[in-house]
Amino acid sequence: MDANFEAKLARNENIEPKDWMPDIYRKHLIRQVSQHAHSEIIGMLPEGNWITRAPSLRAKMVLIAKVQDEGGHGLYLYTAAESLNISREELLEQLHTGKAKYSSIFNYPTLTWADIGAIGWLVDGAAIMNQVMLQRTSYGPYARAMVRICKEESFHQRQGYEITCKLAAGTKEQKEMAQDALNRFWWPTLMMFGPPDAASSNSENAIKWKIKRESNDQLRQRFVNQTVPQAELIGLTIPDKNLEWNEAKKGYDFSDPDWKEFNNVIHGNGPCNRERLGARVKAHENGRWVREAAIAYAEKRKQKAAAYQ
Amino acid sequence: MTKQEALFNYCLRLADTSLILAQRNAEWCGHGPFLEEDLALTNLSLDLIGQANSIYQYAAQVEGKARNEDDLAYHRSEREFLNTLIAEQSNGDYAKTILRQFFCDTFDFYFYAELVKSKDETLSAIAEKSIKEITYHLRHTSSWVERLGDGTEESHTRMQDALNEIWRFTGEMFEMNEVDTILIKEGIAVDLNSIKSKWESKSKEILDRATIKIPANAFMQRGSREAKHTEHLGFILAEMQSLPRALPDAKW
Amino acid sequence: MNKDSQGALWEVFVQKKPGQPYVHCGNLHAFDAEMALQNARDVYTRRNEGTALWVVPSASIVASSPEDIGPFFEPANDKVFRHPTFYKLPKEIKHM
């Protein structure tokens, strides 16, 4: 069995739900896919925070569509995780009890409209790097969900950059707003790729099993290389004094993010950890009677239909 | 009042209602009772803003004062907004949100079906597009009204409470004034008397299926036709308009 | 407190255009058939992905297993005579 699994990986074939797989592969995937799903769902909150205040009708429609997409992506990913023999109820319980993690970036607050631009441009930009890679991940349902997600996500980064461009080209207040958002979101975005390769405990297996195909540091470097020229083009400054082009490696040298802060946020001490999880738990609890009503109603219909026959 | 003034006012009435209702529904985004329904209500919200957007654009054109759709949405005050009172009521629990939307959908369903016949080509075209969206909205909300009304004891009680609370805002949806008189004469506006009985019988049909009862002899609130609102609207606008009002020279 | 339920799992199939086959596009949760259909519309056709939908309770899907690959599908490999290219036609006949 084991040999069959290894052989499939070696041939770059997908592992499918009914295939035999080692228990730790299954566990690793449940953890990663559900963490990804939770991130999409929690990720609706910081941006959702600005839906009622989006400054134009167009911006409002775009933002709603985008936040809705995040919800859809969470949904695709939950069903991918469910194919690994865990129910959505269990997955949500893990989130609500704090057992499961989600991306720390969403524990930062969205203070101004420019943050909505920064999230689309930087956070989605970083997420896409990861997600493009994950389209080739070894677990079939996860890979297929990622293909769909990448297709839909393609407008997200553009809308964020568009907001930032408009602000950078706008009034003095708008430009300051855009620079301030970049200053605040730059480091947390770099942290999104995870700890440095040398310190990442899960990376090695993930690469071996072809769940991940590139390392945290590789993806982080690619992100910096791609983003710096985009900032320069619109006259914004990356908040890193050590940022410098390195001709030899054909990439930028840049400072290490503050990993102490990263660990603090992961361990629940980010500015919005409590609010984010609290909002999800509240929505879940407030929705309970709705779900119970739907069950009761369906049951009544079934009984009525049976009585007819 | 000139025909142009009447038409401008009429457009604002429709666009404001769609926008304020969308704004309310969008507050649920990310907080819905379960994921699939979160997406469904968000879709509905998007359709409503789309409708508001088209009608504001037309209103701006009718007005002819070089204002655009965003000026109309973001730079008018509480005493200028003409949305119906029901649209601005707070979300409450999901029962109230669904019921509020159901009453508006039922109204829109019959209203836009008539507006398609309007002699005003733009309004007729907007109605044509909207009616498809609204037909779906009505199917969605009426199935939920039934589910929640005829679900558990708790959901039934919540639906009945919601009905008791918002029924009093349904009457003024059918109120007509000088604006309507002028535009009906021109073959532009919908005679709201002509759709009232349809709205009543559809509402009754679904509420019956949901096993909830319309309160007897309820007093009907009114005021939105003269831009006299409940206290909710001021807060909705304060939030919605904050950024363009704070930075009036900025472009977004 | 009652145990939570997020509804049953459903399979969604979408038909891109009339006349084309229905293709599996994903899953969702719903508490009854009408809700499943509406949810499928709201989740999977937001970008003009289709003009018709099927929803099927996942529990109703009957699937072959990975061990079936050999006995189920490999026997078809050597039945080349089922394919048109197996047959030789006179050169003069261009299309058949």
Side-chain angles (χ1 to χ4, degrees):
Chain A
M1 284 301 206
D2 215 353
N4 208 342
F5 173 79
E6 300 285 345
K8 270 198 152 184
L9 285 183
R11 290 196 301 269
N12 275 326
E13 277 175 30
N14 282 338
I15 307 299
E16 293 297 331
K18 286 187 148 194
D19 288 341
W20 182 89
M21 60 186 88
D23 214 33
I24 57 171
Y25 175 85
R26 185 189 298 275
K27 277 194 188 133
H28 183 106
L29 268 171
I30 289 178
R31 192 181 55 78
Q32 182 173 333
V33 179
S34 65
Q35 192 170 316
H36 196 160
H38 298 324
S39 300
E40 299 280 356
I41 300 304
I42 296 272
M44 296 170 81
L45 300 172
E47 289 177 284
N49 182 33
W50 278 89
I51 287 177
T52 56
R53 291 176 292 167
S56 73
L57 293 172
R58 178 182 184 269
K60 196 187 281 289
M61 285 192 273
V62 169
L63 183 60
I64 291 178
K66 182 179 179 245
V67 177
Q68 185 195 39
D69 271 354
E70 316 287 2
H73 299 167
L75 193 157
Y76 307 155
L77 289 162
Y78 278 133
T79 59
E82 283 173 88
S83 71
L84 292 156
N85 290 335
I86 183 164
S87 67
R88 191 190 282 184
E89 291 83 358
E90 291 171 89
L91 292 165
L92 291 178
E93 191 184 301
Q94 289 179 355
L95 173 68
H96 298 153
T97 54
K99 195 182 156 210
K101 298 271 178 265
Y102 56 86
S103 181
S104 283
I105 191 79
F106 302 119
N107 288 322
Y108 290 87
T110 48
L111 301 178
T112 71
W113 174 247
D115 292 8
I116 300 306
I119 287 187
W121 174 33
L122 303 174
V123 175
D124 289 323
I128 287 167
M129 302 233 132
N130 222 354
Q131 291 172 344
V132 165
M133 169 190 77
L134 287 171
Q135 293 182 95
R136 296 178 294 123
T137 192
S138 58
Y139 185 59
Y142 192 23
R144 288 192 285 278
M146 288 322 302
V147 170
R148 195 177 181 91
I149 289 173
C150 284
K151 214 188 275 171
E152 298 189 352
E153 284 260 346
S154 54
F155 93 80
H156 292 187
Q157 193 187 11
R158 285 183 182 208
Q159 70 88 32
Y161 191 54
E162 187 191 83
I163 290 173
T164 310
C165 289
K166 273 189 190 163
L167 294 175
T171 63
K172 185 171 154 284
E173 290 95 338
Q174 282 178 305
K175 186 160 186 181
E176 279 168 7
M177 208 191 271
Q179 182 63 52
D180 171 60
L182 173 58
N183 294 350
R184 281 181 291 112
F185 274 92
W186 176 253
W187 299 109
T189 303
L190 291 190
M191 295 177 201
M192 281 175 71
F193 296 97
D197 294 348
S200 175
S201 52
N202 290 314
S203 269
E204 205 181 319
N205 276 341
I207 298 244
K208 186 179 88 188
W209 293 324
K210 299 190 177 176
I211 294 174
K212 277 186 78 159
R213 288 171 180 267
E214 283 169 285
S215 77
N216 296 352
D217 286 337
Q218 280 171 320
L219 291 169
R220 189 166 15 246
Q221 179 71 54
R222 172 125 35 92
F223 174 78
V224 172
N225 292 351
Q226 173 189 295
T227 309
V228 172
Q230 293 167 353
E232 284 170 352
L233 183 72
I234 55 175
L236 297 183
T237 312
I238 303 283
D240 181 356
K241 282 187 204 115
N242 298 320
L243 187 86
E244 204 176 350
W245 178 256
N246 179 334
E247 185 59 33
K249 73 170 186 187
K250 296 275 178 223
Y252 288 92
D253 290 331
F254 55 95
S255 309
D256 236 8
D258 179 359
W259 293 112
K260 235 195 304 181
E261 176 184 322
F262 178 75
N263 284 321
N264 263 331
V265 180
I266 281 198
H267 291 110
N269 298 319
C272 296
N273 294 55
R274 281 158 203 261
E275 284 82 354
R276 300 294 185 241
L277 206 52
R280 281 316 309 162
V281 171
K282 189 171 162 216
H284 181 77
E285 290 306 328
N286 286 344
R288 187 181 292 275
W289 70 268
V290 177
R291 300 190 296 274
E292 284 170 357
I295 297 171
Y297 173 82
E299 200 48 49
K300 282 185 196 172
R301 295 292 112 172
K302 237 186 257 165
Q303 279 168 9
K304 266 190 199 161
Y308 257 124
Q309 296 166 348
Chain B
M1 187 182 277
T2 64
K3 180 188 148 192
Q4 183 203 16
E5 283 162 354
L7 184 55
F8 180 60
N9 183 295
Y10 196 68
C11 288
L12 291 180
R13 197 196 280 177
L14 304 181
D16 289 345
T17 299
S18 296
L19 177 61
I20 297 301
L21 193 56
Q23 180 83 357
R24 278 301 194 205
N25 287 325
E27 290 172 22
W28 278 101
C29 185
H31 307 273
F34 61 97
L35 195 42
E36 281 78 357
E37 183 56 17
D38 200 308
L39 301 190
L41 195 69
T42 308
N43 263 350
L44 215 147
S45 211
L46 267 179
D47 286 344
L48 288 170
I49 301 179
Q51 288 162 17
N53 193 50
S54 313
I55 302 173
Y56 279 133
Q57 281 173 353
Y58 183 49
Q61 190 189 321
V62 169
E63 189 195 31
K65 287 187 180 164
R67 290 204 280 183
N68 65 20
E69 63 274 21
D70 286 328
D71 296 327
L72 294 176
Y74 288 89
H75 293 281
R76 283 160 56 239
S77 72
E78 293 90 320
R79 296 286 288 109
E80 296 169 273
F81 260 69
L82 294 169
N83 61 281
T84 53
L85 299 182
I86 191 170
E88 72 202 29
Q89 297 310 303
S90 61
N91 284 345
D93 60 8
Y94 211 65
K96 189 175 164 194
T97 294
I98 282 290
L99 197 61
R100 179 186 63 196
Q101 186 60 41
F102 165 71
F103 285 139
C104 294
D105 287 341
T106 308
F107 177 88
D108 285 351
F109 181 75
Y110 295 113
F111 176 81
Y112 283 99
E114 287 299 313
L115 193 64
V116 171
K117 302 174 203 154
S118 172
K119 282 191 183 151
D120 184 296
E121 283 175 18
T122 311
L123 285 182
S124 163
I126 292 172
E128 182 100 44
K129 178 174 177 288
S130 303
I131 193 71
K132 291 179 196 141
E133 297 170 344
I134 292 158
T135 305
Y136 181 75
H137 298 173
L138 182 57
R139 178 168 170 176
H140 188 77
T141 50
S142 48
S143 65
W144 270 105
V145 168
E146 196 178 327
R147 247 180 229 119
L148 297 179
D150 193 17
T152 60
E153 217 180 296
E154 179 183 0
S155 72
H156 176 83
T157 308
R158 284 175 181 269
M159 278 306 264
Q160 187 63 55
D161 289 349
L163 180 57
N164 296 347
E165 196 182 331
I166 60 175
W167 179 252
R168 65 199 159 109
F169 297 112
T170 58
E172 63 134 32
M173 293 198 284
F174 301 94
E175 195 178 306
M176 294 192 283
N177 58 17
E178 195 192 351
V179 170
D180 303 76
T181 314
I182 294 170
L183 296 179
I184 288 172
K185 218 179 281 167
E186 300 281 340
I188 293 174
V190 175
D191 182 347
L192 298 179
N193 287 325
S194 76
I195 62 169
K196 191 167 186 203
S197 62
K198 291 184 201 166
W199 181 90
E200 282 169 347
S201 72
K202 179 73 180 174
S203 297
K204 192 161 179 328
E205 176 203 329
I206 302 296
L207 296 177
D208 278 350
R209 273 200 249 159
T211 70
I212 50 176
K213 289 193 180 60
I214 295 171
N217 307 319
F219 181 80
M220 287 293 175
Q221 299 291 337
R222 61 169 304 281
S224 78
R225 297 291 191 247
E226 293 106 50
K228 288 180 190 154
H229 290 273
T230 58
E231 289 178 346
H232 296 294
L233 184 68
F235 289 98
I236 296 177
L237 296 186
E239 185 176 357
M240 184 175 84
Q241 300 176 336
S242 58
L243 207 42
R245 295 252 190 191
L247 299 173
D249 300 329
K251 291 214 173 19
W252 309 96
Chain C
M1 202 193 299
N2 290 345
K3 209 172 161 295
D4 179 44
S5 169
Q6 295 283 320
L9 191 64
W10 296 69
E11 305 288 328
V12 182
F13 300 81
V14 60
Q15 184 188 40
K16 210 170 173 184
K17 283 184 189 141
Q20 293 190 353
Y22 285 73
V23 178
H24 186 252
C25 67
N27 300 78
L28 50 77
H29 283 242
F31 294 84
D32 59 55
E34 170 68 14
M35 196 195 295
L37 197 58
Q38 292 183 12
N39 290 349
R41 180 262 190 194
D42 283 316
V43 174
Y44 288 105
T45 65
R46 282 175 289 141
R47 289 175 164 83
N48 292 317
E49 287 95 336
T51 53
L53 285 165
W54 284 351
V55 288
V56 183
S58 300
S60 301
I61 297 278
V62 182
S64 65
S65 15
E67 301 87 72
D68 293 335
I69 288 188
F72 265 56
F73 308 112
E74 279 169 22
N77 287 350
D78 60 358
K79 312 286 193 298
V80 280
F81 45 81
R82 286 205 173 105
H83 299 278
T85 45
F86 178 72
Y87 301 91
K88 294 195 170 54
L89 292 181
K91 259 193 272 144
E92 293 73 13
I93 308 289
K94 293 273 189 284
H95 302 286
M96 181 176 275

